[in-house]
PDB file of all heavy atoms in Angstrom:
ATOM      1  N   ILE A 183       8.219   7.513  21.999  1.00  0.00           N
ATOM      2  CA  ILE A 183       8.392   6.565  20.886  1.00  0.00           C
ATOM      3  C   ILE A 183       9.445   5.521  21.247  1.00  0.00           C
ATOM      4  O   ILE A 183       9.265   4.325  20.975  1.00  0.00           O
ATOM      5  CB  ILE A 183       8.762   7.320  19.585  1.00  0.00           C
ATOM      6  CG1 ILE A 183       7.560   8.153  19.119  1.00  0.00           C
ATOM      7  CG2 ILE A 183       9.192   6.346  18.499  1.00  0.00           C
ATOM      8  CD1 ILE A 183       7.858   9.085  17.970  1.00  0.00           C
ATOM      9  N   ILE A 184      10.532   5.961  21.868  1.00  0.00           N
ATOM     10  CA  ILE A 184      11.585   5.025  22.273  1.00  0.00           C
ATOM     11  C   ILE A 184      11.045   4.024  23.298  1.00  0.00           C
ATOM     12  O   ILE A 184      11.316   2.823  23.213  1.00  0.00           O
ATOM     13  CB  ILE A 184      12.824   5.781  22.815  1.00  0.00           C
ATOM     14  CG1 ILE A 184      13.495   6.527  21.666  1.00  0.00           C
ATOM     15  CG2 ILE A 184      13.790   4.825  23.495  1.00  0.00           C
ATOM     16  CD1 ILE A 184      14.607   7.455  22.091  1.00  0.00           C
ATOM     17  N   LYS A 185      10.251   4.516  24.260  1.00  0.00           N
ATOM     18  CA  LYS A 185       9.657   3.611  25.243  1.00  0.00           C
ATOM     19  C   LYS A 185       8.732   2.600  24.577  1.00  0.00           C
ATOM     20  O   LYS A 185       8.730   1.416  24.923  1.00  0.00           O
ATOM     21  CB  LYS A 185       8.880   4.398  26.305  1.00  0.00           C
ATOM     22  CG  LYS A 185       9.761   5.055  27.340  1.00  0.00           C
ATOM     23  CD  LYS A 185       8.901   5.723  28.399  1.00  0.00           C
ATOM     24  CE  LYS A 185       9.740   6.321  29.497  1.00  0.00           C
ATOM     25  NZ  LYS A 185       8.906   6.920  30.544  1.00  0.00           N
ATOM     26  N   ILE A 186       7.946   3.055  23.626  1.00  0.00           N
ATOM     27  CA  ILE A 186       7.028   2.152  22.920  1.00  0.00           C
ATOM     28  C   ILE A 186       7.807   1.093  22.152  1.00  0.00           C
ATOM     29  O   ILE A 186       7.462  -0.099  22.181  1.00  0.00           O
ATOM     30  CB  ILE A 186       6.082   2.940  21.992  1.00  0.00           C
ATOM     31  CG1 ILE A 186       5.089   3.745  22.827  1.00  0.00           C
ATOM     32  CG2 ILE A 186       5.349   2.008  21.031  1.00  0.00           C
ATOM     33  CD1 ILE A 186       4.230   4.706  22.035  1.00  0.00           C
ATOM     34  N   LEU A 187       8.887   1.498  21.477  1.00  0.00           N
ATOM     35  CA  LEU A 187       9.691   0.536  20.722  1.00  0.00           C
ATOM     36  C   LEU A 187      10.359  -0.486  21.653  1.00  0.00           C
ATOM     37  O   LEU A 187      10.374  -1.689  21.363  1.00  0.00           O
ATOM     38  CB  LEU A 187      10.747   1.253  19.886  1.00  0.00           C
ATOM     39  CG  LEU A 187      10.205   2.055  18.694  1.00  0.00           C
ATOM     40  CD1 LEU A 187      11.322   2.825  18.014  1.00  0.00           C
ATOM     41  CD2 LEU A 187       9.502   1.137  17.707  1.00  0.00           C
ATOM     42  N   CYS A 188      10.898  -0.016  22.774  1.00  0.00           N
ATOM     43  CA  CYS A 188      11.509  -0.934  23.740  1.00  0.00           C
ATOM     44  C   CYS A 188      10.452  -1.872  24.332  1.00  0.00           C
ATOM     45  O   CYS A 188      10.700  -3.072  24.499  1.00  0.00           O
ATOM     46  CB  CYS A 188      12.209  -0.159  24.857  1.00  0.00           C
ATOM     47  SG  CYS A 188      13.710   0.671  24.312  1.00  0.00           S
ATOM     48  N   GLY A 189       9.288  -1.321  24.642  1.00  0.00           N
ATOM     49  CA  GLY A 189       8.198  -2.145  25.161  1.00  0.00           C
ATOM     50  C   GLY A 189       7.744  -3.184  24.156  1.00  0.00           C
ATOM     51  O   GLY A 189       7.480  -4.338  24.521  1.00  0.00           O
ATOM     52  N   ALA A 190       7.663  -2.789  22.892  1.00  0.00           N
ATOM     53  CA  ALA A 190       7.262  -3.735  21.852  1.00  0.00           C
ATOM     54  C   ALA A 190       8.294  -4.848  21.714  1.00  0.00           C
ATOM     55  O   ALA A 190       7.930  -6.019  21.523  1.00  0.00           O
ATOM     56  CB  ALA A 190       7.091  -3.003  20.522  1.00  0.00           C
ATOM     57  N   LEU A 191       9.567  -4.507  21.847  1.00  0.00           N
ATOM     58  CA  LEU A 191      10.620  -5.525  21.789  1.00  0.00           C
ATOM     59  C   LEU A 191      10.499  -6.500  22.960  1.00  0.00           C
ATOM     60  O   LEU A 191      10.607  -7.722  22.778  1.00  0.00           O
ATOM     61  CB  LEU A 191      11.993  -4.846  21.792  1.00  0.00           C
ATOM     62  CG  LEU A 191      13.193  -5.710  21.481  1.00  0.00           C
ATOM     63  CD1 LEU A 191      13.080  -6.330  20.104  1.00  0.00           C
ATOM     64  CD2 LEU A 191      14.466  -4.879  21.570  1.00  0.00           C
ATOM     65  N   CYS A 192      10.246  -5.967  24.150  1.00  0.00           N
ATOM     66  CA  CYS A 192      10.042  -6.835  25.323  1.00  0.00           C
ATOM     67  C   CYS A 192       8.839  -7.753  25.117  1.00  0.00           C
ATOM     68  O   CYS A 192       8.897  -8.956  25.422  1.00  0.00           O
ATOM     69  CB  CYS A 192       9.832  -5.998  26.585  1.00  0.00           C
ATOM     70  SG  CYS A 192      11.301  -5.205  27.224  1.00  0.00           S
ATOM     71  N   LEU A 193       7.756  -7.207  24.594  1.00  0.00           N
ATOM     72  CA  LEU A 193       6.562  -8.010  24.357  1.00  0.00           C
ATOM     73  C   LEU A 193       6.805  -9.079  23.291  1.00  0.00           C
ATOM     74  O   LEU A 193       6.300 -10.201  23.401  1.00  0.00           O
ATOM     75  CB  LEU A 193       5.390  -7.111  23.956  1.00  0.00           C
ATOM     76  CG  LEU A 193       4.821  -6.249  25.079  1.00  0.00           C
ATOM     77  CD1 LEU A 193       3.833  -5.225  24.523  1.00  0.00           C
ATOM     78  CD2 LEU A 193       4.148  -7.117  26.131  1.00  0.00           C
ATOM     79  N   PHE A 194       7.599  -8.735  22.279  1.00  0.00           N
ATOM     80  CA  PHE A 194       7.922  -9.712  21.236  1.00  0.00           C
ATOM     81  C   PHE A 194       8.676 -10.903  21.836  1.00  0.00           C
ATOM     82  O   PHE A 194       8.322 -12.058  21.604  1.00  0.00           O
ATOM     83  CB  PHE A 194       8.750  -9.054  20.125  1.00  0.00           C
ATOM     84  CG  PHE A 194       9.262 -10.047  19.118  1.00  0.00           C
ATOM     85  CD1 PHE A 194       8.408 -10.572  18.150  1.00  0.00           C
ATOM     86  CD2 PHE A 194      10.577 -10.466  19.143  1.00  0.00           C
ATOM     87  CE1 PHE A 194       8.877 -11.496  17.226  1.00  0.00           C
ATOM     88  CE2 PHE A 194      11.053 -11.383  18.230  1.00  0.00           C
ATOM     89  CZ  PHE A 194      10.203 -11.903  17.265  1.00  0.00           C
ATOM     90  N   PHE A 195       9.728 -10.617  22.615  1.00  0.00           N
ATOM     91  CA  PHE A 195      10.500 -11.706  23.224  1.00  0.00           C
ATOM     92  C   PHE A 195       9.647 -12.518  24.197  1.00  0.00           C
ATOM     93  O   PHE A 195       9.745 -13.751  24.240  1.00  0.00           O
ATOM     94  CB  PHE A 195      11.754 -11.178  23.912  1.00  0.00           C
ATOM     95  CG  PHE A 195      12.832 -10.796  22.946  1.00  0.00           C
ATOM     96  CD1 PHE A 195      13.323  -9.504  22.922  1.00  0.00           C
ATOM     97  CD2 PHE A 195      13.357 -11.711  22.051  1.00  0.00           C
ATOM     98  CE1 PHE A 195      14.316  -9.143  22.016  1.00  0.00           C
ATOM     99  CE2 PHE A 195      14.346 -11.360  21.152  1.00  0.00           C
ATOM    100  CZ  PHE A 195      14.832 -10.068  21.134  1.00  0.00           C
ATOM    101  N   ALA A 196       8.806 -11.848  24.958  1.00  0.00           N
ATOM    102  CA  ALA A 196       7.929 -12.559  25.893  1.00  0.00           C
ATOM    103  C   ALA A 196       6.939 -13.442  25.134  1.00  0.00           C
ATOM    104  O   ALA A 196       6.615 -14.542  25.588  1.00  0.00           O
ATOM    105  CB  ALA A 196       7.185 -11.571  26.786  1.00  0.00           C
ATOM    106  N   SER A 197       6.476 -12.989  23.968  1.00  0.00           N
ATOM    107  CA  SER A 197       5.511 -13.772  23.192  1.00  0.00           C
ATOM    108  C   SER A 197       6.145 -15.025  22.595  1.00  0.00           C
ATOM    109  O   SER A 197       5.442 -15.985  22.274  1.00  0.00           O
ATOM    110  CB  SER A 197       4.894 -12.924  22.081  1.00  0.00           C
ATOM    111  OG  SER A 197       5.827 -12.712  21.029  1.00  0.00           O
ATOM    112  N   LYS A 198       7.448 -15.035  22.433  1.00  0.00           N
ATOM    113  CA  LYS A 198       8.144 -16.223  21.923  1.00  0.00           C
ATOM    114  C   LYS A 198       8.565 -17.152  23.066  1.00  0.00           C
ATOM    115  O   LYS A 198       8.391 -18.360  22.997  1.00  0.00           O
ATOM    116  CB  LYS A 198       9.392 -15.824  21.111  1.00  0.00           C
ATOM    117  CG  LYS A 198       9.083 -15.006  19.892  1.00  0.00           C
ATOM    118  CD  LYS A 198       8.208 -15.775  18.938  1.00  0.00           C
ATOM    119  CE  LYS A 198       7.874 -14.949  17.729  1.00  0.00           C
ATOM    120  NZ  LYS A 198       6.871 -15.561  16.885  1.00  0.00           N
ATOM    121  N   LEU A 199       9.158 -16.581  24.118  1.00  0.00           N
ATOM    122  CA  LEU A 199       9.673 -17.377  25.228  1.00  0.00           C
ATOM    123  C   LEU A 199       8.552 -17.937  26.104  1.00  0.00           C
ATOM    124  O   LEU A 199       8.620 -19.084  26.537  1.00  0.00           O
ATOM    125  CB  LEU A 199      10.631 -16.538  26.076  1.00  0.00           C
ATOM    126  CG  LEU A 199      11.302 -17.237  27.253  1.00  0.00           C
ATOM    127  CD1 LEU A 199      12.160 -18.402  26.772  1.00  0.00           C
ATOM    128  CD2 LEU A 199      12.138 -16.245  28.049  1.00  0.00           C
ATOM    129  N   GLY A 200       7.526 -17.142  26.364  1.00  0.00           N
ATOM    130  CA  GLY A 200       6.445 -17.552  27.258  1.00  0.00           C
ATOM    131  C   GLY A 200       5.747 -18.833  26.838  1.00  0.00           C
ATOM    132  O   GLY A 200       5.695 -19.802  27.609  1.00  0.00           O
ATOM    133  N   PRO A 201       5.208 -18.899  25.612  1.00  0.00           N
ATOM    134  CA  PRO A 201       4.521 -20.129  25.198  1.00  0.00           C
ATOM    135  C   PRO A 201       5.448 -21.345  25.142  1.00  0.00           C
ATOM    136  O   PRO A 201       5.047 -22.459  25.478  1.00  0.00           O
ATOM    137  CB  PRO A 201       3.988 -19.802  23.803  1.00  0.00           C
ATOM    138  CG  PRO A 201       3.872 -18.313  23.796  1.00  0.00           C
ATOM    139  CD  PRO A 201       5.002 -17.813  24.653  1.00  0.00           C
ATOM    140  N   TYR A 202       6.703 -21.136  24.753  1.00  0.00           N
ATOM    141  CA  TYR A 202       7.659 -22.246  24.695  1.00  0.00           C
ATOM    142  C   TYR A 202       7.896 -22.820  26.092  1.00  0.00           C
ATOM    143  O   TYR A 202       7.805 -24.034  26.293  1.00  0.00           O
ATOM    144  CB  TYR A 202       8.972 -21.772  24.071  1.00  0.00           C
ATOM    145  CG  TYR A 202      10.058 -22.821  24.125  1.00  0.00           C
ATOM    146  CD1 TYR A 202      10.011 -23.935  23.303  1.00  0.00           C
ATOM    147  CD2 TYR A 202      11.117 -22.692  25.014  1.00  0.00           C
ATOM    148  CE1 TYR A 202      10.997 -24.907  23.356  1.00  0.00           C
ATOM    149  CE2 TYR A 202      12.104 -23.658  25.072  1.00  0.00           C
ATOM    150  CZ  TYR A 202      12.041 -24.757  24.245  1.00  0.00           C
ATOM    151  OH  TYR A 202      13.021 -25.712  24.317  1.00  0.00           O
ATOM    152  N   THR A 203       8.203 -21.962  27.054  1.00  0.00           N
ATOM    153  CA  THR A 203       8.487 -22.447  28.403  1.00  0.00           C
ATOM    154  C   THR A 203       7.226 -22.996  29.071  1.00  0.00           C
ATOM    155  O   THR A 203       7.304 -23.959  29.838  1.00  0.00           O
ATOM    156  CB  THR A 203       9.114 -21.359  29.289  1.00  0.00           C
ATOM    157  OG1 THR A 203       8.244 -20.230  29.342  1.00  0.00           O
ATOM    158  CG2 THR A 203      10.466 -20.946  28.759  1.00  0.00           C
ATOM    159  N   TYR A 204       6.074 -22.421  28.774  1.00  0.00           N
ATOM    160  CA  TYR A 204       4.838 -22.933  29.356  1.00  0.00           C
ATOM    161  C   TYR A 204       4.515 -24.319  28.784  1.00  0.00           C
ATOM    162  O   TYR A 204       4.044 -25.201  29.506  1.00  0.00           O
ATOM    163  CB  TYR A 204       3.669 -21.973  29.126  1.00  0.00           C
ATOM    164  CG  TYR A 204       2.411 -22.430  29.807  1.00  0.00           C
ATOM    165  CD1 TYR A 204       2.330 -22.468  31.198  1.00  0.00           C
ATOM    166  CD2 TYR A 204       1.312 -22.852  29.078  1.00  0.00           C
ATOM    167  CE1 TYR A 204       1.190 -22.912  31.841  1.00  0.00           C
ATOM    168  CE2 TYR A 204       0.158 -23.290  29.709  1.00  0.00           C
ATOM    169  CZ  TYR A 204       0.103 -23.318  31.090  1.00  0.00           C
ATOM    170  OH  TYR A 204      -1.036 -23.758  31.717  1.00  0.00           O
ATOM    171  N   GLY A 205       4.811 -24.532  27.500  1.00  0.00           N
ATOM    172  CA  GLY A 205       4.618 -25.850  26.894  1.00  0.00           C
ATOM    173  C   GLY A 205       5.501 -26.898  27.562  1.00  0.00           C
ATOM    174  O   GLY A 205       5.057 -28.011  27.845  1.00  0.00           O
ATOM    175  N   LEU A 206       6.767 -26.534  27.836  1.00  0.00           N
ATOM    176  CA  LEU A 206       7.659 -27.451  28.551  1.00  0.00           C
ATOM    177  C   LEU A 206       7.135 -27.726  29.954  1.00  0.00           C
ATOM    178  O   LEU A 206       7.215 -28.852  30.447  1.00  0.00           O
ATOM    179  CB  LEU A 206       9.074 -26.874  28.632  1.00  0.00           C
ATOM    180  CG  LEU A 206       9.868 -26.816  27.333  1.00  0.00           C
ATOM    181  CD1 LEU A 206      11.207 -26.127  27.566  1.00  0.00           C
ATOM    182  CD2 LEU A 206      10.066 -28.199  26.749  1.00  0.00           C
ATOM    183  N   TYR A 207       6.608 -26.692  30.594  1.00  0.00           N
ATOM    184  CA  TYR A 207       6.044 -26.849  31.938  1.00  0.00           C
ATOM    185  C   TYR A 207       4.885 -27.851  31.915  1.00  0.00           C
ATOM    186  O   TYR A 207       4.815 -28.754  32.753  1.00  0.00           O
ATOM    187  CB  TYR A 207       5.571 -25.494  32.468  1.00  0.00           C
ATOM    188  CG  TYR A 207       4.784 -25.590  33.746  1.00  0.00           C
ATOM    189  CD1 TYR A 207       5.428 -25.746  34.967  1.00  0.00           C
ATOM    190  CD2 TYR A 207       3.391 -25.534  33.725  1.00  0.00           C
ATOM    191  CE1 TYR A 207       4.705 -25.844  36.143  1.00  0.00           C
ATOM    192  CE2 TYR A 207       2.665 -25.630  34.891  1.00  0.00           C
ATOM    193  CZ  TYR A 207       3.321 -25.783  36.097  1.00  0.00           C
ATOM    194  OH  TYR A 207       2.600 -25.888  37.262  1.00  0.00           O
TER     195      TYR A 207
END
């Protein structure tokens, strides 16, 4: 459960940062 929660947090941050930086690119 802890791994899933940490993974979900990583995916959340990636889902926000990824599209923003790709748009700038």
Side-chain angles (χ1 to χ4, degrees):
I183 292 172
I184 291 172
K185 283 184 177 182
I186 290 172
L187 290 175
C188 289
L191 191 60
C192 287
L193 289 170
F194 173 77
F195 285 121
S197 74
K198 298 299 179 189
L199 182 61
Y202 173 73
T203 57
Y204 184 67
L206 290 176
Y207 171 80

